[in-house]
Amino acid sequence: MWDNTLVIFTTDNGGRPQQASNGAGYNWPLRGGKATLWEGGIRANAFITGAGIPIAKQGTIYNGLMHSTDWFPTILRAANTNTSGTFPLDGVNQWGALRGTNSEPPRVEILHNIDPINRWSAFRRNHWKIIRGAPEYCGWYPPPESGLSAEEISPDDIPHISLYNITADPREKRNLASRYPDVVDNLLARLTEYGREQVGPWYPAADPASNP
């Protein structure tokens, strides 16, 4: 059975350190947590093992960009089928990249979010990540056993535009927006393109019948 089984273990977001006493988790040394656009909220761990993973790739780390929407076309390809006949997908097939047979990464950018309610957004292309607005929980929150203190930053102290080289600075300590204005302009233009395709959120009125 194992020779015909693929095991995927993943998560959807980072922990919420502000609720750690109730079972939530920490994302130290990454910044922020669940429900934010900082790396501590959006960078998730995963592993894959089993059928189709070459011995040479077992125990290695894949450093390419991957989004949760990529799992669907990736699993289809692993099962020797494809997305023919489906609606257009946001996800891309990562099977060759995970197996080490792709010469180029299948994904070079990720739209993290465009939130018209809170008015913040974030986008990643290759090494660069741009954040527009001030997501909440802007600090760094080490677990108690580390002996370190949390480094709190108010959203009021966050610039409207932040730019980070995530490969070199995964903790998002150095805002490079003023140093690379051309990069900022290019990423903001791409965010605008995505925004034109966005379907606005719909919040229906509360229905008392939904309360058991």
Side-chain angles (χ1 to χ4, degrees):
M1 179 183 293
W2 178 249
D3 292 337
N4 199 34
T5 299
L6 187 66
V7 176
I8 299 171
F9 182 92
T10 186
T11 183
D12 56 349
N13 48 249
R16 189 186 290 272
Q18 293 76 14
Q19 298 178 355
S21 60
N22 295 323
Y26 293 91
N27 311 292
W28 175 261
L30 300 179
R31 189 175 187 175
K34 179 179 178 178
T36 79
L37 296 176
W38 305 110
E39 289 297 287
I42 60 177
R43 181 180 291 211
N45 294 317
F47 71 79
I48 181 171
T49 186
I53 304 299
I55 293 177
K57 298 302 294 182
Q58 294 175 14
T60 64
I61 297 174
Y62 176 57
N63 290 310
L65 293 180
M66 188 167 182
H67 190 267
S68 57
T69 57
D70 296 341
W71 282 119
F72 177 59
T74 300
I75 291 170
L76 289 181
R77 183 62 186 86
N80 293 318
T81 185
N82 54 55
T83 58
S84 177
T86 66
F87 289 105
L89 300 175
D90 293 321
V92 299
N93 169 25
Q94 297 264 8
W95 186 235
L98 295 175
R99 299 185 74 248
T101 58
N102 280 19
S103 58
E104 296 291 335
R107 177 181 285 283
V108 297
E109 64 180 36
I110 293 178
L111 174 63
H112 292 306
N113 197 8
I114 299 177
D115 187 331
I117 305 299
N118 294 300
R119 297 184 179 180
W120 59 52
S121 54
F123 173 73
R124 168 95 181 258
R125 175 181 278 276
N126 294 319
H127 303 298
W128 295 110
K129 174 184 174 183
I130 192 165
I131 299 177
R132 180 170 55 190
E136 58 185 357
Y137 302 128
C138 304
W140 294 263
Y141 309 97
E145 60 269 20
S146 71
L148 301 173
S149 299
E151 185 178 344
E152 295 277 5
I153 298 180
S154 169
D156 295 335
D157 296 328
I158 300 296
H160 182 63
I161 299 295
S162 300
L163 177 72
Y164 301 97
N165 182 325
I166 293 300
T167 303
D169 180 27
R171 298 183 64 192
E172 297 169 295
K173 286 280 191 176
R174 298 182 294 277
N175 183 0
L176 302 175
S178 61
R179 189 182 302 181
Y180 298 99
D182 291 343
V183 174
V184 169
D185 290 344
N186 289 335
L187 297 185
L188 287 178
R190 190 72 178 113
L191 259 176
T192 299
E193 292 177 15
Y194 275 114
R196 293 193 186 104
E197 304 174 2
Q198 184 182 25
V199 177
W202 176 58
Y203 292 102
D207 184 351
S210 66
N211 188 347

